[in-house]
Amino acid sequence: MAVKKEFTKGFWEVLPPFRLVLGLCPTLAVTTSAENGIGMGLATTFVLVFSNLLVSMLRRFIPKKVRIAAYIVIIASFVVIVELLMQAYFFPLYKVLGLFIPLIVVNCIILGRAEAFASKHGIIDSIADGLGIGLGFTISLFALGSVREILGNGTWMGLHVMWAGYEPFTFMLKPPGAFVCLGTMLGLINFISLRMEARKGSK
Amino acid sequence: MRDIIRMVVVLTLICAASGFALAVVHDFTKEPIEYSRLKYVKEPAVKAVLKGYDNDPIKDRISIVIGKDRYGRPVKLIIFPAKKAGKIFAVAFETSGKGYHGDIGVMVGIDVKHNKLTGIAIVSHSETPGLGARIVEKSFTGSFKGKSLAKELTTSDINALSGATFSTKGVLAAVNKARAIFKRYHAQIVR
Amino acid sequence: MSLGDFLLFIIGAILVNNILLHRFLGNCPFLGVSQRMDTATGMSMAVIFVMTMAGTITWIVQYYLLVPLRIEYLQTIAFILVIAALVQLVEIVMQKTLPALYKALGIFLPLITTNCAVLGVAIINISEEYDFVNTVVFSFASAVGYSLALVLFAGIRERFALARIPKVLEGTAIGLVTAGFMALAFSGFAGLASH
């Protein structure tokens, strides 16, 4: 089914931020723990799905010349809604993610999908696209957050998982660690992609 | 020309719809947001000064007007009541006093029946680490517990911090301000 | 603020709390345009210009529009619209008055709208409660810090063209690892300006 394809591509072909190299700022900043990674991922997914939905619904009405401005208003509105909902019902997470929640509005993934996909496809496909990519992003953030949390803090999702005498590698929690970790994971993903392509090519 | 009109109309409609939607969501979330803010930012301090209550002081909070700011707008104070079986036995609210490096925010707990302090907790300060910042220590804040509010408190009533007179005085100023507010608005506070 | 405090404030913004290497703002264009020196310098100039103006104007919007009307919750949408409009305006004006510079900046100018560093700094100005002068200075200094990191990075990456890098690390991956070591170097400035 075509919809399934639009949904699943978000988990590999167009996986952010590794294969779709966008949305790096929040990736580096909030992945100090697995839980924060999930929180940010879900908030971004919320905005992505609804903005894709609205852009797709209005795609025939928005004149080409003002489309970017229109997309920005739509995306920004959903970001404000997420901000308000988080302050009301998920306050501790809101405090931890801080500055990066309003920054969802300039997360290139969202504007990118609105322009590249939602403005040219139907509603169901656009929702699938948004949901797939959003959840793929969430998984990436969760993975990176897990690595940094386990190595840098000895915990995972708040629970101690390393042996008793483990000295946390706090480098992982600081900015340099974030860059190095993400770079290494990206290298790993590239390795896997090249392997997969080689295998496909040799068939 | 038609194009320009179309662009303006579409953008205006989108902005209007957005404004409307956001105003609705904002209205809807105003209460939960205030509750969350208070719960996560002030509750630890409230819990430190009020004990033995069976209600939710944050949920049962009341707001009284204690004056006007320079724009003429009313200045509100939030009072957190501690109740047992529906009756208020203590209240907590925040006041501030000038310390060495700026305002010191103090959460003051008052036993309403016996007119004495149930305790204090330092909410915010920018005092010098190792000197004025020691106002957060239990040996300092604990010395306020149980003190009567019949008269204003002075440094001799509590465990003043040596070498940090300004910080100590700042906390005392905040406590005495709380005492004055409690005296003046007693009826409203203990509704 | 005394002159000494002021200088520390500026150094803090440029080196210690470098918005890119310490606060994680502005990464996408950072990794995208830093492969060559000329693109890096072009982006830098555009960022310094737009960030300083954006920081200033958003500050005015916050305190003269959002706060008096009690609509602070609309900060995000108001700020991004201001930034987008500002960039559009700058593009139009520059095309007419400084065409050479406009050509030099190329596509980097419109790209700045989605640079999270610009919106990020605008928000930080408000959350740190800077007054007007501090806002202008902080916006400018942050942009300088960003440009510094960007240009240094481009210098390093230009050398990569001649180095042998494992295929899986080519491009963005090695860029990130390098940025990590730069961040490590910059974190050495931490004791320089204590808040």
Side-chain angles (χ1 to χ4, degrees), chain A residues 23-25 28-29 72-73 76-77 80 83 99-100 102-103 105-106 108 111 171 175-176 178-179 182-183 186-187 190-191, chain C residues 20-28 31 73 76-77 80-81 113-114 116 119-120 123 167-169 172-173 176 179-180 183-184:
Chain A
L24 291 169
C25 299
L28 291 163
I72 289 181
V73 174
S77 307
V80 174
E83 274 183 83
L99 175 62
F100 286 89
L103 286 182
V105 77
V106 288
C108 322
L111 193 61
F171 169 78
F179 281 107
L182 182 63
L186 183 56
N190 284 345
F191 178 69
Chain C
L20 177 76
L21 297 171
H22 186 84
R23 297 206 210 227
F24 296 117
L25 298 174
N27 280 291
C28 297
L31 292 160
Y73 68 97
T76 307
I77 190 169
I80 189 65
L81 287 177
T113 312
T114 54
C116 48
L119 180 61
I123 296 178
K167 190 145 197 275
V168 294
L169 285 178
T172 313
L176 284 167
L184 195 59

Side-chain angles (χ1 to χ4, degrees), chain B residues 2-187:
Chain B
R2 259 198 68 185
D3 286 338
I4 299 188
I5 296 185
R6 184 139 184 238
M7 289 197 273
V8 170
V9 167
V10 168
L11 278 180
T12 311
L13 282 176
I14 293 183
C15 286
S18 157
F20 179 70
L22 292 179
V24 167
V25 175
H26 177 241
D27 214 54
F28 179 72
T29 53
K30 241 200 301 216
E31 236 297 308
I33 289 180
E34 199 190 331
Y35 178 78
S36 287
R37 273 219 184 108
L38 290 171
K39 187 170 169 67
Y40 288 98
V41 180
K42 306 285 182 203
E43 197 181 52
V46 171
K47 279 207 155 111
V49 305
L50 296 176
K51 303 256 192 285
Y53 50 82
D54 58 15
N55 66 325
D56 181 348
I58 312 278
K59 198 145 160 250
D60 293 341
R61 71 191 181 279
I62 58 168
S63 181
I64 61 171
V65 177
I66 56 169
K68 281 202 173 35
D69 67 10
R70 60 188 164 149
Y71 297 111
R73 295 193 291 217
V75 176
K76 298 213 190 112
L77 179 66
I78 302 180
I79 312 279
F80 304 103
K83 299 185 186 167
K84 242 202 272 258
K87 288 199 69 182
I88 299 182
F89 66 90
V91 291
F93 52 93
E94 195 181 333
T95 53
S96 66
K98 225 176 177 48
Y100 188 65
H101 263 143
D103 282 342
I104 303 177
V106 183
M107 183 69 75
V108 181
I110 300 180
D111 178 329
V112 301
K113 196 155 146 218
H114 304 108
N115 198 29
K116 54 182 194 181
L117 291 172
T118 59
I120 65 161
I122 307 297
V123 176
S124 59
H125 76 89
S126 0
E127 305 302 280
T128 327
L131 287 173
R134 295 181 53 214
I135 48 176
V136 302
E137 284 172 16
K138 278 251 156 51
S139 53
F140 178 71
T141 57
S143 67
F144 283 80
K145 198 165 167 188
K147 291 289 183 298
S148 165
L149 290 174
K151 284 207 300 240
E152 276 203 355
L153 275 103
T154 62
T155 44
S156 47
D157 295 312
I158 47 116
N159 244 359
L161 281 176
S162 53
T165 0
F166 282 103
S167 309
T168 309
K169 290 221 168 105
V171 177
L172 278 169
V175 173
N176 287 324
K177 217 189 279 184
R179 173 184 172 274
I181 291 177
F182 184 63
K183 216 162 151 213
R184 184 153 174 214
Y185 298 95
H186 187 268

Side-chain angles (χ1 to χ4, degrees), chain C residues 110-130:
Chain C
L111 218 58
I112 293 182
T113 312
T114 54
N115 185 331
C116 48
V118 179
L119 180 61
V121 167
I123 296 178
I124 292 176
N125 283 329
I126 307 298
S127 67
E128 296 283 324
E129 298 184 354
Y130 290 149

